[in-house]
Amino acid sequence: MNILVRTASIILGLIVAALAFVFFSPDYGFYIVRSESMKPAINMGDVVVAGPVGAGGGINPGDIVTYELGKNLITHRVLSVDGDTLITKGDANEDPDPRPIQFSQVKSRYLFKIPYV
């Protein structure tokens, strides 16, 4: 039992350290999802953990990115890339987003989610 408690403590400590790194690093961020546009991949209430756009060699169709539109942050999937222009769409939406976005609007790339926080 003592080994189990010690192992669980180490795992919990590593998780807390990783989340603290993400929280304090300027290249990473947390976003709380406030719509169901990305269902079933990401649900309302999930926390998205996102990292630098440059990680993994640029943005490709199928990637999930968070971009700035006015004062709002939107997390949607990339449908296509044409130079510096991206066409995005929420997985639950029937149509692509009404306006293409520019690469400069992209703030981060989806890494993983923490469900229903």
Side-chain angles (χ1 to χ4, degrees):
M1 186 69 168
N2 194 16
I3 292 174
L4 182 61
V5 170
R6 189 174 293 181
T7 302
S9 297
I10 290 170
I11 291 172
L12 182 60
L14 290 173
I15 291 170
V16 168
L19 291 175
F21 171 78
V22 169
F23 181 77
F24 289 109
S25 174
D27 293 333
Y28 294 84
F30 294 101
Y31 305 107
I32 298 173
V33 177
R34 293 186 279 178
S35 80
E36 295 190 353
S37 68
M38 284 299 293
K39 256 184 127 169
I42 304 170
N43 297 299
M44 187 166 31
D46 289 351
V47 172
V48 168
V49 178
V53 175
I59 297 175
N60 299 302
D63 289 346
I64 298 174
V65 296
T66 298
Y67 63 91
E68 194 169 37
L69 185 62
K71 293 184 179 187
N72 296 317
L73 292 175
I74 299 171
T75 301
H76 277 174
R77 191 175 304 277
V78 175
L79 291 180
S80 66
V81 179
D82 184 15
D84 284 344
T85 303
L86 308 173
I87 303 296
T88 57
K89 175 183 169 299
D91 289 356
N93 299 340
E94 290 186 23
D95 298 316
D97 295 337
R99 287 183 268 173
I101 62 164
Q102 300 301 308
F103 185 80
S104 60
Q105 291 175 266
V106 177
K107 299 301 175 196
S108 58
R109 175 197 311 249
Y110 171 86
L111 296 175
F112 62 92
K113 70 177 180 179
I114 303 170
Y116 303 110
V117 173

